[in-house]
Amino acid sequence: MGEGKILKALSGFYFVAHGDDVIRWKPRGVFRHEGATPLVGDDVRYLADGGDGVITEILPRRNSLHRPPVANIDQLVLVIAAVTPVADPFLVDKMVCFAEFHHIEPVICLNKADLGTNEKLTDRYAAAGYPVCIVSAETGEGMDRLHALLRGKVSAFAGNSGVGKSSLINRLCPELSLRTGEVSEKLGRGRHTTRHVELFALQGGGLMADTPGFSFFDPDSLDLPEPQELWRCFREFLPFGADCRYADCSHTTEPGCGILRALREGQISGERHQSYCRMYEEAKKLSPWERRQLAKQRAR
Ligand code: GDP
Ligand code: ZN
């Protein structure tokens, strides 16, 4: 009997680590027939006898994602390049909002610091209250801070192709380098190649999802909150959203809005609020029916 975390799924088997033990389990009975699908990242109770074991219980999840399929992620490291490829702040805001919605801490990681800076962007997130780190996978600059942010947490990386995610992972976990290359070569970079997830132990402590899917958070298919809940995913708006004149304030144009007041007083950034308004309009366009369809597609 033990408790551990599912680190990988391969050929129908799940591998669970507990201390130095690794047990191997093939779902049968209740798990196969009642559709209780375990995910990588799940914390489970198991009975073990030698190398093969039986998972008896999946402990409650803090969150779960479909693409990549992984549970209990603590942090999403959003990698942005200092120079190229050019970051789109609206998409970064969307990813940050997505992370907040799923109770995942977003970490803004500006890479390629050897080539330049993007203070406008890093200041924007630091001011909003998000952890920011500035690194170079090339020179190793700033990596101590990234190591410290990852310690003791389960993290996944996200970001456009070319921002340096593979390079950062190779720095964080040098023994993985060959493997990362192999995986991306074998599976290519398509959207539909994201079924395999594995959690790796980092040298400094902590686990990291290494998957060809880690970069494929498609901003158009992200699970985002309903319009009236959206403002709660903008961390710096939180102290002001309760002060509005109208209980159903959308925080976009209404008189007596606490968030608009904070905006006028310079306590929140105009660009962040513009992103909010744009996301609010997008969210409003989705009917409840479309929302359900999207959720179904994602679950498939
Ligand atoms: P991924 O697509 O996000 O996994 O990005 P890669 O790790 O494959 O990196 C894309 C390109 O950027 C490669 O040519 C890397 O050598 C380069 N690169 C990655 N990190 C850095 C960095 O910190 N500085 C510089 N100058 N180049 C980098
Ligand atoms: Zn308001």
Side-chain angles (χ1 to χ4, degrees), residues 71-89:
N72 298 325
I73 290 283
D74 295 312
Q75 300 189 129
L76 197 55
V77 181
L78 304 177
V79 184
I80 297 161
V83 181
T84 50
V86 176
D88 176 347

Side-chain angles (χ1 to χ4, degrees), residues 79 81 84-85 110-116 135-141 158-171 180 184 189 214-215:
V79 184
T84 50
L110 187 94
N111 185 37
K112 309 199 189 184
D114 54 302
L115 299 180
V135 303
S136 166
E138 187 77 18
T139 65
E141 150 187 11
N160 289 337
S161 176
V163 294
K165 296 177 302 297
S166 315
S167 312
L168 285 172
I169 287 171
N170 289 345
R171 272 258 176 204
T180 308
S184 45
R189 293 191 163 262
F214 61 67
S215 59

Side-chain angles (χ1 to χ4, degrees), residues 5 37 86 100 128 247 275 278:
K5 190 181 267 302
T37 313
V86 176
E100 290 270 15
S275 282
R278 192 166 153 195

Side-chain angles (χ1 to χ4, degrees), residues 231 240-261 273 276:
W231 69 276
F240 309 108
D243 296 339
C244 304
R245 184 177 306 160
Y246 305 110
D248 62 348
C249 186
S250 73
H251 320 298
T252 55
T253 54
E254 290 89 338
C257 170
I259 289 175
L260 290 173
R261 187 182 320 120
H273 187 259
Y276 167 78

Side-chain angles (χ1 to χ4, degrees), residues 12-181:
F13 284 98
Y14 289 88
F15 295 82
V16 179
H18 176 71
D20 292 335
D21 277 355
V22 175
I23 69 143
R24 201 178 70 149
W25 174 64
K26 193 155 202 153
R28 290 185 197 85
V30 49
F31 284 101
R32 264 190 54 197
H33 297 119
E34 289 179 13
T37 313
L39 284 174
V40 168
D42 268 329
D43 295 311
V44 297
R45 292 217 165 90
Y46 63 85
L47 296 168
D49 183 15
D52 283 350
V54 177
I55 291 177
T56 54
E57 191 184 346
I58 299 177
L59 299 176
R61 287 176 185 153
R62 289 194 306 285
N63 56 49
S64 64
L65 306 178
H66 292 299
R67 207 183 280 147
V70 61
N72 298 325
I73 290 283
D74 295 312
Q75 300 189 129
L76 197 55
V77 181
L78 304 177
V79 184
I80 297 161
V83 181
T84 50
V86 176
D88 176 347
F90 178 65
L91 291 186
V92 183
D93 282 334
K94 227 175 186 180
M95 294 297 307
V96 168
C97 176
F98 166 81
E100 290 270 15
F101 183 49
H102 289 272
H103 308 289
I104 301 173
E105 179 75 351
V107 173
I108 305 296
C109 178
L110 187 94
N111 185 37
K112 309 199 189 184
D114 54 302
L115 299 180
T117 55
N118 186 343
E119 276 158 22
K120 195 160 176 257
L121 202 69
T122 46
D123 287 353
R124 168 190 179 120
Y125 293 104
Y130 294 103
V132 172
C133 66
I134 297 172
V135 303
S136 166
E138 187 77 18
T139 65
E141 150 187 11
M143 293 302 287
D144 286 352
R145 169 149 168 84
L146 183 56
H147 265 292
L149 285 168
L150 299 175
R151 198 166 295 139
K153 305 270 170 67
V154 182
S155 306
F157 281 66
N160 289 337
S161 176
V163 294
K165 296 177 302 297
S166 315
S167 312
L168 285 172
I169 287 171
N170 289 345
R171 272 258 176 204
L172 290 165
C173 213
E175 64 272 26
L176 260 180
S177 57
L178 180 69
R179 225 180 160 286
T180 308

